[in-house]
Amino acid sequence: MKTKFNRWLILFATIFVNICIGAQYAWSVFALPLGKLFGWSGPVLALAFTITFATGPIVMICGGMLLDRKGAKFNIVLGGILWSVGLFLTGFISSPEALYVTFSVIAAVGAGIVYSGSIANTNKFFPDKRGLAVGLNAAGYGSGAMIVAPIASSLIISYGVLNTFKILGVAFLVIIMLCTLVIKSAPPGYKPEGWEPPAIAGKPGGSDKDWKQMLRDPLWYVMACMFAIAAMAGLMILAHASPIGQTMFKLEPQVAALYVSLIALFNMAGRVCFGFLSDRIGRPNTLSIMFALGAGMLFLLSNTTSSFMFGLAGAGIGACFGGAQAVFPSLVAENYGTKNIGVNYGVTFVAFGIAAYFGPMIAANVAKASNGIYTQAFYFAMILNIIGFVITFVYRLLDKKSKRVTANLSQ
């Protein structure tokens, strides 16, 4: 007898879990209080954010392997425990090295294991609405900072930054464990009732490929370049949003935290809107729009002293960054199938890791050399987005060529 699943309820619970681990993106709210408490410099603090996301590819690959063996629910339980424990332990740190171990390794590994399971499971449960569903799932992750930033800012004022980490660690553990009571793993070959897959879906009939076959495809390297570029500007802003607001636009800490929430709101909205749009006009066309918008917002950010324009530009950049988190998992699934999506997306996430390493550190070092001014970093990211826009046309050409070869072979 065929088991029926309420996939929307599972997605809803997964979104709540991702809101918890999405608190990673609220890092800039914690950075300045930690710096003031311990006297740590901007680059020292930026390294915590960099390590957090630079380890992502390894974690995502390992999480994908766990997913294949144990299922999505196992990933979310294990990852949720590690994430929460890592945050709680961060409340006891007294050195940068301890911060890197607790927040940037233990907590980050947990978050990555959760995310790899949630993204893969959503791809499998929603083959008919992949862009929208993955976008909603990723929106939970992106909205974490929007929800957590003002809460954390208030907790820091009332209880101090270290106690805030302890409080959040306990709260997140309770929420995640409750959500896992609802979450189920998608069965192999799951199809929604009444839906049949198209005869040809994406590359070679949408056939499943493992990571070794994927790496032999030239199209993957183009896709990885686009992913790295799409992530770079967003990570620059997300890692430094609060310091940018305070140093360049003279905002008070709590007001800067609200701007962090605004950027996170559009990060979340971008995941849903661009994911939905990519279902309608295609992933490459959506990426072209995102790169063009991102370049324009970075140009605006580089040439304004207005806090309103800072919010506008930050919102646009956040939306484009969020859109990438919805579009690229869907692109990997369409090109290489869903059977190995956990590991395949983990390998593709290497591109995100590269962006996570270079983006925040470039911005931190530019600001240190320019008395808190990030303008040169913004121009650098703007040029990368222009390059990304051009690469989308290369992707289209290679994709068409691949489909022609496949069609000829099948005749």
Side-chain angles (χ1 to χ4, degrees):
M1 185 174 122
K2 186 176 179 181
T3 304
K4 290 188 177 181
F5 295 87
N6 188 333
R7 57 179 183 159
W8 290 102
L9 181 60
I10 293 170
L11 177 60
F12 184 72
T14 304
I15 289 170
F16 265 88
V17 172
N18 283 346
I19 288 171
C20 295
I21 64 169
Q24 288 179 307
Y25 287 121
W27 167 248
S28 64
V29 172
F30 300 102
L32 284 180
L34 282 172
K36 289 177 181 177
L37 179 64
F38 295 111
W40 297 338
S41 67
V44 167
L45 292 163
L47 185 58
F49 188 87
T50 294
I51 295 171
T52 295
F53 289 98
T55 57
I58 298 172
V59 176
M60 292 285 284
I61 293 169
C62 293
M65 292 176 177
L66 276 175
L67 178 78
D68 293 341
R69 290 168 172 76
K70 300 289 187 177
K73 186 168 182 174
F74 179 86
N75 273 46
I76 293 171
V77 170
L78 174 62
I81 292 171
L82 287 173
W83 161 248
S84 303
V85 169
L87 278 189
F88 185 78
L89 292 177
T90 304
F92 297 93
I93 63 166
S94 59
S95 68
E97 293 77 16
L99 172 67
Y100 302 153
V101 170
T102 59
F103 184 83
S104 304
V105 176
I106 297 175
V109 165
I113 291 173
V114 170
Y115 195 60
S116 66
S118 71
I119 285 290
N121 209 39
T122 301
N123 258 306
K124 292 177 180 180
F125 263 127
F126 291 87
D128 54 332
K129 295 179 175 66
R130 184 167 282 136
L132 174 61
V134 171
L136 287 168
N137 181 53
Y141 190 35
S143 67
M146 177 192 71
I147 295 169
V148 173
I151 296 172
S153 183
S154 296
L155 288 173
I156 288 168
I157 292 170
S158 300
Y159 302 104
V161 65
L162 295 182
N163 284 329
T164 297
F165 280 115
K166 297 174 189 175
I167 293 167
L168 291 176
V170 172
F172 289 152
L173 181 62
V174 172
I175 294 169
I176 292 171
M177 291 304 108
L178 287 175
C179 289
T180 58
L181 298 176
V182 175
I183 294 169
K184 307 292 181 185
S185 299
Y190 175 81
K191 293 190 298 184
E193 189 173 345
W195 179 83
E196 290 296 330
I200 298 176
K203 275 193 69 136
S207 58
D208 291 307
K209 291 179 170 56
D210 61 26
W211 67 272
K212 294 178 182 178
Q213 293 170 307
M214 182 178 72
L215 291 182
R216 289 198 289 268
D217 182 6
L219 193 67
W220 180 84
Y221 294 91
V222 177
M223 184 171 61
C225 285
M226 292 192 296
F227 195 8
I229 292 170
M232 179 80 74
L235 288 167
M236 277 186 176
I237 302 303
L238 288 165
H240 299 282
S242 185
I244 289 169
Q246 292 181 58
T247 59
M248 291 184 67
F249 297 94
K250 312 305 178 187
L251 301 177
E252 294 296 321
Q254 281 191 291
V255 176
L258 291 176
Y259 276 74
V260 173
S261 292
L262 174 70
I263 294 168
L265 172 64
F266 278 84
N267 178 2
M268 176 188 67
R271 294 169 191 239
V272 179
C273 295
F274 283 121
F276 177 80
L277 183 65
S278 71
D279 283 338
R280 296 296 182 270
I281 68 172
R283 320 296 178 201
N285 291 334
T286 304
L287 287 170
S288 294
I289 293 171
M290 287 163 49
F291 283 127
L293 178 60
M297 292 297 100
L298 284 159
F299 180 79
L300 174 61
L301 189 58
S302 304
N303 292 276
T304 185
T305 57
S306 163
S307 59
F308 173 80
M309 291 300 178
F310 165 55
L312 178 64
I317 294 166
C320 293
F321 174 80
Q325 313 313 306
V327 171
F328 283 100
S330 300
L331 206 57
V332 172
E334 286 179 352
N335 285 330
Y336 308 108
T338 59
K339 180 181 178 181
N340 304 299
I341 181 65
V343 175
N344 286 349
Y345 185 59
V347 172
T348 306
F349 207 72
V350 168
F352 187 95
I354 292 170
Y357 177 79
F358 287 105
M361 292 304 294
I362 288 172
N365 285 297
V366 165
K368 184 178 180 181
S370 307
N371 297 317
I373 305 301
Y374 293 80
T375 304
Q376 291 180 343
F378 299 154
Y379 274 120
F380 174 75
M382 182 189 73
I383 292 169
L384 283 180
N385 271 264
I386 294 170
I387 294 171
F389 179 80
V390 174
I391 293 176
T392 61
F393 293 94
V394 177
Y395 179 91
R396 289 187 186 91
L397 290 173
L398 286 177
D399 192 35
K400 288 178 181 177
K401 181 180 178 181
S402 177
K403 287 176 180 176
R404 282 199 303 269
V405 170
T406 302
N408 291 335
L409 290 174
S410 62
Q411 289 176 356

